[in-house]
Amino acid sequence: MYRSHVLVCGGTGCTSSGSEQLVSVLEQEIAKQGLSEEVKVVKTGCFGLCALGPIMIVYPEGSFYSMVKPEDIPEIVSEHLLKGRIVKRLLYSETVADDSVKSLNETDFYKKQQRVALRNCGVINPENIDEYIGFDGYQALGKVLTEMTPDQVIQTIKDSGLRGRGGGGFPTGLKWSFAAANDADQKYVCCNADEGDPGAFMDRSILEGDPHVLIEAMTIAGYAIGASQGYVYIRAEYPIAVKRLQIAIDQAREYGLLGKNIFDSGFDFDMELRLGAGAFVCGEETALMTSIEGHRGEPRPRPPFPAVKGLFGKPTVLNNVETYANVPRIILNGAEWFASMGTEKSKGTKVFALGGKIHNTGLVEVPMGTTLREIIEEIGGGIPNGKKFKAAQTGGPSGGCIPANLIDTEIDYDNLIAIGSMMGSGGLIVMDEDTCMVDIAKFFLEFTVDESCGKCTPCRVGTKRMYEMLDKITKGNATMEDLDKLEELCYFVKANSLCGLGQTAPNPVLSTLKYFRHEYEAHIKDKTCPAGVCKGLVRYSIDADKCKGCTLCARVCPVGAIEGTVKNPHVIHTEKCIKCGACMEKCRFDAISKK
């Protein structure tokens, strides 16, 4: 029995910040102080506050140490773990009061969150099945296999109101019922763990911090629809998630929770991993299944839908990781419990990957219906450097931009669609006043052009033409006629593309045109970028009255665009300038301006 547990984040973010080294140094120091029998070091999944990594929490006190360095470890071990004196200067500042230390749940980042899908992340060792079982793991599977019929399972998921967390929000129970209704000698349960949206890492964090929840949920889905085989399609760029999920699958097999005759119920179910190469189009269900089959990841026309003819031509259910992560809690706590959270048409909670111009980047899980303002200002800590909030992009390349005047929008599936965006998998990119909305639309279009599989002409050619028009606008070479053509093309691509990638690719353009048309017009009519971002429209100049002739700007210019002699005002030759901004960064006299 240990008197203290030290939980160290082993998610991708903290690992890249050096948490593996922290664990090694911690164990060495603990052994050095003779505490190996009293203090246990546990490598967990993501705590959510990714901006503060590496993160370490000491229990039973719940002391939250952030941005820990290896050189801090000896002091934490000797003072806190040996003598019981918390090292306050190394704690996350929000947890430190004048004469006490607050728990993490009292901080602004956590107090409005409600963790369901993320409930075990940062709490258990993801590589130890016993810890998952200790937190009610596999109880839902046991209940399903010994007390419920497949129809009762599906009805429970229907009654809960759970909708797919990976895209358009299709009702999960309804999808399962379609597959269950089709008789076949073989059925499949698939999981989309490919997560291709820029800035999204919800599914990865669940797999890294709580892999057994996916195994349990997919097995429950298999029982509900009559499937005996599952496949997890996961991108190869997630090595930690791949490793932990494979460990979890091996452990579940060893415990008899996967394989033949699970819980002596006569039900068989097993699952395998399939590594994807990181193709965004494989987030579309038919393209994903085509890839699992060993072919090029291209979408297939629908109907027939996968519930009728999916993987290997058999009835198939496909959900993403976050959707599955809710299933065991719904079975254990009841459909009414889950339906009590959220809004009328969007039940439960949603995980968002909060990024961009925001203080607290990381993962947040909030009830559906939470306003954008609450997420950005209260949980996210607001915009850094005193800048103003301008817009938020939800749904990644498939979503749209929400302007500042809609910051009080309650976030759920229907509200986001109504204002020209979508939930998607849950990426939430925050932008401040220094962001050019035309450039943002161009960024997402460049991504979708690159990721288009090329199977259908509207997407293959249409997105490329849209990108070219945006590029023309950002360089100041477009006309108002080009803007009309761009909008017309957006609606054509949206209406005629084969799959969701092409159908939603115009969303970033259409939403920015709707809410920020004045920025497009400024680029076209005035040949200016209001945010000063688009290099083709930026001009650097030197104020002769402020320039001291120190020559520093000329020395850092990589192309020799600045001319002048010592102690005399310098001049920038605009035809040579590549707009890198190095001169402005180095000028100590505020003599260089960007227009």
Side-chain angles (χ1 to χ4, degrees), residues 293-350:
E293 291 168 359
H295 307 296
R296 178 184 169 90
E298 292 181 338
R300 301 192 283 249
R302 297 177 302 174
F305 289 92
V308 178
K309 189 177 180 182
L311 186 65
F312 302 115
K314 304 294 184 180
T316 305
V317 153
L318 172 77
N319 291 111
N320 81 327
V321 176
E322 187 188 340
T323 309
Y324 283 123
N326 287 286
V327 169
R329 302 317 299 169
I330 292 171
I331 298 296
L332 283 182
N333 296 345
E336 299 79 13
W337 163 80
F338 190 81
S340 69
M341 299 179 280
T343 62
E344 185 183 347
K345 293 183 179 178
S346 300
K347 305 296 186 184
T349 60
K350 181 72 189 81

Side-chain angles (χ1 to χ4, degrees), residues 2 46 87 92 131 150 190 220 312 379 421 429 509:
Y2 297 98
C46 179
V87 187
Y92 173 40
E131 292 200 16
C190 290
I220 290 170
F312 302 115
I379 298 173
S421 189
I429 310 297
V509 184

Side-chain angles (χ1 to χ4, degrees), residues 112-118 162-163 165 322 326 337-339 341-343 346-352 364-370 411 413 423:
K112 286 210 164 187
Q113 292 194 48
Q114 196 165 340
R115 294 193 150 207
V116 179
L118 298 177
L162 176 66
R163 294 172 66 173
R165 287 342 193 210
E322 187 188 340
N326 287 286
W337 163 80
F338 190 81
M341 299 179 280
T343 62
S346 300
K347 305 296 186 184
T349 60
K350 181 72 189 81
V351 182
F352 291 98
V364 302
E365 184 173 2
V366 292
M368 291 278 196
T370 302
I411 294 185
Y413 292 102
M423 188 78 73

